[in-house]
Amino acid sequence: MLTQIYEISSPDEARAVSEIGIDHVGILVGDGEFPREQPLALAAEIAAAIVTPARFSALFLAARAASIIEWARMLKPPIVHLGSAPELLGPAEVAMIKAALPDSLIMRSVPVYGEESVDSPEL
């Protein structure tokens, strides 16, 4: 089982959670569109404090593929976690992100509202 903790907001927090054995240390990254997003410079500082073998997971709530690509190219996270609603960031945009970031794993949040969620055409 993998463990992840998200919305890490300081280098001290990143160091502490990675030292206790968390697999993925998540940092919410963005330009302030959503509460608690970390600006790029601070996100880079926080990521630098992660102790291996824990891995940096950059969580993006934005639904703008170009912004996600630009930010991820600057931060170089091993994991790019896409958290926007599937209907806002669909398969074509996710494929574009993956093509632009071949060295990062792409993780997708999938909201589940009931059995109909499994049949979502956006996935």
Side-chain angles (χ1 to χ4, degrees), residues 65 82 85-99 106 108 120-123:
L82 305 174
E87 63 272 11
L88 299 177
L89 192 68
E93 290 88 2
V94 174
M96 181 173 70
I97 292 167
K98 179 58 184 166
I106 304 297
R108 184 71 161 111
S120 174
E122 289 88 15
L123 301 179

Side-chain angles (χ1 to χ4, degrees), residues 27 64 88 90 97 103 108-109 119:
I27 303 168
R64 299 179 312 279
L88 299 177
I97 292 167
D103 295 330
R108 184 71 161 111
S109 293
D119 296 325

Side-chain angles (χ1 to χ4, degrees), residues 59-61 81-91 94 107-123:
L59 171 59
F60 299 102
L61 297 180
H81 184 164
L82 305 174
S84 65
E87 63 272 11
L88 299 177
L89 192 68
V94 174
M107 184 179 356
R108 184 71 161 111
S109 293
V110 179
V112 177
Y113 304 107
E115 288 188 29
E116 66 277 6
S117 298
V118 177
D119 296 325
S120 174
E122 289 88 15
L123 301 179

Side-chain angles (χ1 to χ4, degrees), residues 36-94:
R36 299 178 306 284
E37 284 181 326
Q38 303 302 318
L40 290 174
L42 181 54
E45 280 183 49
I46 297 167
I50 296 170
V51 179
T52 57
R55 294 168 55 177
F56 167 32
S57 179
L59 171 59
F60 299 102
L61 297 180
R64 299 179 312 279
S67 295
I68 294 167
I69 292 166
E70 177 185 346
W71 298 334
R73 283 182 173 157
M74 289 183 214
L75 294 170
K76 298 178 179 31
I79 302 163
V80 171
H81 184 164
L82 305 174
S84 65
E87 63 272 11
L88 299 177
L89 192 68
E93 290 88 2
V94 174

